[in-house]
């Protein structure tokens, strides 16, 4: 997928949507100096070209009883495509995994996992790691505080 060249208007529209995706085209247009119709056309193009991947509601884990966050470094037994792809599929299917990165270094994957409590996390580890013969080792850090979480990206004109 080819990413389009973004002009300063596109960047301004993205900045508005990044802070609140429910902002209506009329308000965005007033901020950036375009008509609502022009804003809607640009947003449609940004969606179609994949610049805007999706629009979601950001939920509070604590409000939903998911008060614990874990950062887990996972080392696979073998590093071959079938093993890596299998683990990717397992991670994608698990709602407790909030983020997953395939990384360089000592670990193969870094996961950010959200659970209700330690018992919930233990169930998660059994399902993801102990029941998976391709996981060699995993190391867990418990997050003490959510200092910064977000999905906003730096936008440069």
């Amino acid at each position: 997928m080819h990413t389009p060249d973004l002009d300063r208007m596109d960047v301004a529209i993205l900045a508005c949507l990044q802070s609140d995706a429910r902002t209506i085209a009329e308000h965005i247009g007033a901020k950036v100096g375009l008509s609502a119709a022009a804003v809607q056309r640009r947003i449609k193009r940004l969606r179609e070209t994949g610049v805007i991947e999706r629009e979601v509601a950001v939920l509070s884990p604590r409000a939903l009883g998911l008060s614990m966050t874990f950062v887990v470094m996972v080392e696979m037994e073998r590093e071959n495509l079938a093993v890596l792809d299998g683990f990717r599929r397992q991670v994608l299917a698990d709602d407790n995994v909030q983020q997953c990165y395939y990384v360089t270094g000592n670990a193969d994957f870094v996961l950010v996992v959200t659970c209700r409590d330690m018992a919930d996390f233990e169930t998660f580890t059994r399902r993801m790691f102990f029941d998976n013969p391709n996981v060699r080792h995993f190391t867990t850090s418990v997050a003490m505080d959510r200092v910064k979480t977000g999905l906003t990206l730096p936008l440069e004109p």
Side-chain angles (χ1 to χ4, degrees), residues 37-131:
V39 168
Q40 289 169 336
R41 280 192 302 275
R42 284 174 178 258
I43 291 172
K44 181 177 186 234
R45 180 178 53 82
L46 293 166
R47 287 179 182 134
E48 289 171 349
T49 58
V51 174
I52 298 174
E53 288 185 347
R54 60 194 172 119
E55 297 162 68
V56 299
V58 178
L59 308 179
S60 166
R62 190 167 302 282
L64 296 170
L66 298 163
S67 60
M68 297 195 74
T69 300
F70 305 87
V71 179
V72 186
M73 309 290 281
V74 183
E75 183 182 345
M76 304 307 291
E77 191 63 47
R78 295 174 290 290
E79 194 166 323
N80 67 48
L81 287 179
V83 168
L84 297 176
D85 288 344
F87 190 74
R88 284 183 177 106
R89 282 190 300 277
Q90 186 180 6
V91 163
L92 287 168
D94 198 296
D95 289 339
N96 289 96
V97 179
Q98 299 301 296
Q99 297 174 52
C100 175
Y101 302 94
Y102 178 50
V103 298
T104 61
N106 293 334
D108 296 304
F109 292 94
V110 175
L111 309 179
V112 177
V113 178
T114 302
C115 294
R116 285 185 298 279
D117 51 30
M118 286 303 289
D120 191 26
F121 182 67
E122 181 182 4
T123 301
F124 170 82
T125 61
R126 288 176 186 272
R127 176 175 73 242
M128 286 298 277
F129 310 130
F130 292 116
D131 291 346

